[in-house]
Amino acid sequence: LWSSNDVTQLGSRPKTKLGVMKLLPFTAVDGLAFGATAEAVADFLGPPSSNKLSRKGERELSYANARYRFDGKGHLTEVTADTLAVQFGSVSVPFKLLAAYLKEQDLSTFEKVGFVVSPMYGLALDPAFPSWVTAFSTERLALWRAIGTQ
């Protein structure tokens, strides 16, 4: 079980330039809905520091502490952010406890090439790279399951 020493309640924010990723699994990250266009993301966040195609040919907008990825139709499908914690409703879990939290809360959590992937939360992280977390849309779950199987 997770005590108040392990997680913080809504409203408690770390005093750092990195924030807390607010996640509504498969729905939205920090107020941006999966399925939004690159233009809508730029309108919401301001101009990105970079707007380019990834190695996979998908649009990627880069900001100081986050990358926003779009599918071939131009819809937001992944957000990777450098964050101190992930907020699930009123509970905020620090990155250093996130992998254990996901494994305890989501029994379908699996590992692929070092990533801990939670199908229930639509979240992936590599514990070897502290503070980077990827939230993804429902459509991306199959891709996470397929990593390393080709």
Side-chain angles (χ1 to χ4, degrees):
L1 294 176
W2 296 89
S3 73
S4 60
N5 293 333
D6 297 329
V7 297
T8 58
Q9 296 304 310
L10 184 62
S12 174
R13 296 203 55 124
K15 294 175 174 60
T16 177
K17 66 179 182 171
L18 299 181
V20 173
M21 176 189 275
K22 295 180 180 103
L23 180 66
L24 292 172
F26 302 110
T27 303
V29 176
D30 295 329
L32 281 167
F34 286 114
T37 64
E39 293 76 22
V41 171
D43 286 346
F44 187 77
L45 297 173
S49 59
S50 172
N51 179 346
K52 63 181 181 179
L53 293 180
S54 71
R55 291 177 294 195
K56 295 187 283 183
E58 297 176 330
R59 175 76 40 216
E60 183 175 284
L61 301 183
S62 296
Y63 290 84
N65 294 321
R67 308 292 175 269
Y68 297 80
R69 294 182 195 86
F70 302 83
D71 64 17
K73 296 178 183 175
H75 300 116
L76 181 64
T77 58
E78 278 188 358
V79 177
T80 299
D82 190 6
T83 184
L84 292 175
V86 176
Q87 185 174 311
F88 305 97
S90 63
V91 175
S92 186
V93 181
F95 182 88
K96 67 181 180 177
L97 302 175
L98 190 55
Y101 179 86
L102 294 174
K103 290 175 182 178
E104 182 177 296
Q105 299 297 312
D106 178 3
L107 298 180
S108 64
T109 294
F110 60 91
E111 293 189 23
K112 287 284 186 162
V113 293
F115 285 90
V116 175
V117 182
S118 168
M120 186 171 98
Y121 290 109
L123 204 62
L125 65 112
D126 183 343
F129 290 93
S131 73
W132 286 96
V133 177
T134 298
F136 52 86
S137 65
T138 305
E139 296 79 17
R140 283 290 219 235
L141 179 57
L143 292 175
W144 280 99
R145 287 189 190 283
I147 290 174
T149 60
Q150 286 84 19

